[in-house]
Structures are given as structure tokens and as C-alpha cells.
Amino acid sequence: MSSEQTTVPVIIDTDTAQDDCITIIAGMMDPVADVRAITMVAGNVGFDQQVRNAHLTLNALGRLGEVPIHLGCRRPVLVPWVSAENVHGDGSGGLRMDEEGLTTEAEHGVDALLRLTAEEPGEISIVAIGPLTNLAVAAIKDPTFPARVKQLVIMGGSNNGRGNITPAAEFNFYVDPHAARIVFEAGFDITLVPWAPLTLQDAVFKRDQLAEIEALGTPLSEFFGRVCSSTLAFDESVGIPGTTHPDSLSMAVLLHPDLVLRSSRQNVAIECDSELTRGYAAISWGVHGLEPNAEVIEAVDGERFYTYLRDILATPTQPNRPFRVGDQS
Ligand code: BDR
Ligand code: CA
């Protein structure tokens, strides 16, 4: 970081498993970021396992207890919760540690989002890498909330591309489509990091890159290999040639916007009423005269993004507690 570069205060709103863990690592290790809080939302795996995964991640960093973890909404607004355990296992690759004395905050995640942004209006950005339930509930509870958030980077949707949980929908928007609709209509300054084609094109780490990360031999590279193991197996079984990193790309794009090669302001609207296309993100492409409500990222420098994460994973850390490898239940 140059001496003139200011830090970016950020809250990570997460359903912590696999790449959500890597996002926390990027946020905590990148000197540009100042991570103020982690807020947990129902998504990838069981809620309590997600909290465990966040603690495991902070442990790998040697920074247990340094960032408050606030528990947010334990289910979507209207529809029952759907998990991605078939993709991520428990999201930690079966890692365990002694959990004695680990704590989370008494304050609810939604209230933490409201309080932190009220204490510093217009200063704090949010990287939202799970279903948007916490953000939607916060915006309902306090309609002045969206204007207090500096930048909201959302991982979700596909840009006229394939879904990953249904043919039409990406997981985060599918799980809580009503929340996603509320958020896109709430007036946030949104940057959108979609699944397809962006993630599949620029944020897949291939076998040779994974081997390079493994060879680093640091606690963070070992942790990376572990938490990404289930996802790698799943991805390869569906024809994706490596591990997918849309969540950590969202953090990287916030902290280093010069990674972005192409983006455009578009209208993003979320389908809530159709069973077939539930959670579909209808993203305009500039010809329909629709009012833009998001900056949609279309291409990033994938090689630089990989190098960015690899260099972070190469940095030695001292985990607070020894890890054990258990089963994934
Ligand atoms: C999104 O769903 C989750 O499984 C990932 O963490 C990412 O946020 C991709 O569809
Ligand atoms: Ca996620």
C-alpha cells in the first residue's frame, strides 16, 4: 500500500463456507482493507457450521477474536432455506479445533449493520457474499440505511448466462429472491459480481494454479486446500475446471477496482413469482431504456486476481489453535 492510499472500511456479510472463508482471509490480510465486522446470514451450510467456519478462518489467520462476528438472519424472508451442502460439504473440508471460549456478539447482524453505518455514514462499504436477507431486513428496518453504505458489492446472479442451482438462477439470489429484489430496489450504490459468465471466465483456479498454492506450504495455503476440497470435486463433476472464487473476487474488486477490465451500469431486477425462474436476475444490456441500479462487472484481469490471492496465501501466519481434521458432518 502506498503511503497516500487510505484504507477501505468494510463489513463482510457472509454465509461462510469455502470461498467465503477465502474472502475473510483476503479482507484480513490485505492492508487496504479495514474489516469492521462479519455478519452471518443463512445460506451455504447450516448456520452454526457457518459460524464455526468463520472462527476456523480467523484461527488460520492467527487472529481469533480480532473481528466481531454478528449472527444475522437464520432463514430467508419468505421461502424456506435451501443449502449448498452438496457443493461445499461442511464448507471447511472437515477442519475442527478446540472451540472453548469462542464468542460471537450479542448484537444481531442486522442491528450491527445499522449501527456501524450510522456511526460513520457514507464511510463503510459492504461485501455481500451470501443471500441478501440481512441487507433487505436492515433496509426495511431503517430506510435511511442504503444511503449510509458507501459501496455495496454483491456476489450474485448470472448476466444473461447460466444459473448454478437451477438453469435460471444463481444460488445467493435463488435462496432469498425476495431479499434480493428488496435490495436492488432500495437505492444502494451497488456493484454486482455475477456467477456467469464472469466467475466462470475469470475466477476459476485451475489444477496447475491449485498445485502452485499447495506448494506454498503455509498455514493459509493448507487451509485453502482443505476448505476448497469439496467444491473442487463438485466443480469438476459438473465440468468446471477448478475451484470457483466469486466471493473473494468481490472483495478484490472493492479493494482494487483497477482489476476490472470491463463493466457497465445496468438495470438488475429479480424474479420472485415464478417457480421455474425463481431468483433469476434480469440484467439489462443498455437497449431497453431501463433505469440503471447497479454497476455490473463483466470482465476482470483473472491472472492478476489469481496472483493477488496466491500472494496473500503465501504470507506466513501463526494459527491460534491447532487444527484437527474430522469428518464433514
Ligand atoms: C455463491 O454461492 C455460494 O455457494 C458461494 O459462496 C457464492 O457466494 C455462488 O453462487
Ligand atoms: Ca457465499
Side-chain angles (χ1 to χ4, degrees), residues 110-126:
V110 168
D111 296 319
L113 290 167
L114 293 176
R115 177 180 55 78
L116 289 164
T117 54
E119 286 170 1
E120 293 173 88
E123 296 298 326
I124 301 181
S125 294
I126 300 173

Side-chain angles (χ1 to χ4, degrees), residues 59-291:
N59 185 56
L61 290 157
R63 296 176 69 180
L64 264 185
E66 277 190 33
V67 182
I69 301 175
H70 296 264
L71 310 189
C73 297
R74 288 178 173 267
R75 50 152 291 177
V77 173
L78 218 56
V79 289
W81 167 62
V82 178
S83 90
E85 279 151 329
N86 62 320
V87 178
H88 300 302
D90 70 2
S92 78
L95 283 180
R96 295 291 177 269
M97 66 180 179
D98 176 11
E99 296 184 341
E100 176 80 30
L102 295 181
T103 55
T104 56
E105 302 299 307
E107 185 182 35
H108 191 274
V110 168
D111 296 319
L113 290 167
L114 293 176
R115 177 180 55 78
L116 289 164
T117 54
E119 286 170 1
E120 293 173 88
E123 296 298 326
I124 301 181
S125 294
I126 300 173
V127 175
I129 52 177
L132 292 172
T133 322
N134 288 340
L135 278 295
V137 173
I140 290 171
K141 193 169 180 188
D142 180 353
T144 68
F145 169 60
R148 296 202 300 270
V149 177
K150 185 165 191 202
Q151 192 182 345
L152 172 59
V153 183
I154 294 174
M155 190 284 125
S158 275
N159 189 357
N160 297 287
R162 294 179 179 189
N164 59 7
I165 184 158
T166 69
E170 176 281 333
F171 177 78
N172 290 339
F173 289 180
Y174 177 85
V175 172
D176 199 340
H178 303 91
R181 179 182 283 184
I182 289 165
V183 167
F184 277 95
E185 292 178 356
F188 290 99
D189 180 349
I190 295 176
T191 299
L192 182 64
V193 173
W195 175 257
L198 179 71
T199 300
L200 297 178
Q201 166 194 287
D202 293 333
V204 175
F205 292 178
K206 310 220 164 44
R207 281 274 177 179
D208 58 328
Q209 295 170 316
L210 297 174
E212 192 178 38
I213 290 173
E214 190 180 353
L216 296 170
T218 61
L220 288 181
S221 76
E222 274 176 44
F223 182 81
F224 176 95
R226 217 356 97 192
V227 304
C228 291
S229 54
S230 299
T231 319
L232 176 62
F234 176 86
D235 285 344
E236 290 186 336
S237 77
V238 297
I240 299 171
T243 55
T244 47
H245 299 281
D247 298 334
S248 43
L249 177 60
S250 305
M251 177 64 83
V253 157
L254 172 73
L255 302 177
H256 304 285
D258 57 337
L259 280 171
V260 176
L261 299 179
R262 197 176 66 245
S263 68
S264 60
R265 289 201 58 72
Q266 301 295 350
N267 182 271
V268 180
I270 310 299
E271 173 59 51
C272 294
D273 304 320
S274 153
E275 207 175 308
L276 185 63
T277 57
R278 161 182 160 179
Y280 173 72
I283 302 180
S284 68
W285 56 90
V287 295
H288 303 110
L290 298 168
E291 188 67 31

